[in-house]
Amino acid sequence: MGTLIISAVLALVVLGFDNPVWWLAAGALLYLHTRYVRTGRRSPGSSSPGGAPRPSGGSGPSARGGDNSYRAYRQRRDQMARWERRYRRERPWMTRQK
């Protein structure tokens, strides 16, 4: 995928010698690609930057099975509610009933 993006950017740069708008398109393509690489490759459940799994053993509060699963459920539920509120706030025309 990266090779395809690089070749597309190079083609846009070459086309840009006749029309500088192609350079803007190349810049936009690079910008979108870097945003995808930063955010798109990480799994939604991992909170660590490297995506490394969190340790599950130990004697702390996370060692209690029932409390930990309910806490994870609550965090997922709250995150989903925040996403839904943000979606309704940013796209009010999509949530209207017809």
Side-chain angles (χ1 to χ4, degrees):
M1 183 70 176
T3 307
L4 181 66
I5 297 295
I6 290 172
S7 61
V9 167
L10 288 176
L12 290 172
V13 166
V14 169
L15 288 173
F17 287 115
D18 291 335
N19 188 358
V21 174
W22 291 111
W23 286 342
L24 294 174
L29 184 62
L30 279 175
Y31 172 75
L32 291 174
H33 179 66
T34 55
R35 281 191 57 114
Y36 167 74
V37 168
R38 273 194 211 148
T39 60
R41 299 264 172 118
R42 234 184 327 184
S43 64
S46 68
S47 63
S48 60
R54 285 176 247 154
S56 60
S59 61
S62 64
R64 292 177 288 186
D67 184 40
N68 190 24
S69 63
Y70 180 69
R71 184 176 297 134
Y73 158 74
R74 232 176 34 217
Q75 287 175 345
R76 286 192 309 269
R77 183 193 63 191
D78 293 345
Q79 181 67 42
M80 184 61 74
R82 282 192 295 269
W83 285 341
E84 289 173 357
R85 284 192 301 269
R86 181 178 178 189
Y87 186 83
R88 284 194 306 264
R89 184 176 62 243
E90 291 179 353
R91 297 168 181 86
W93 63 91
M94 297 292 283
T95 58
R96 291 186 193 134
Q97 297 293 328
K98 290 186 178 185

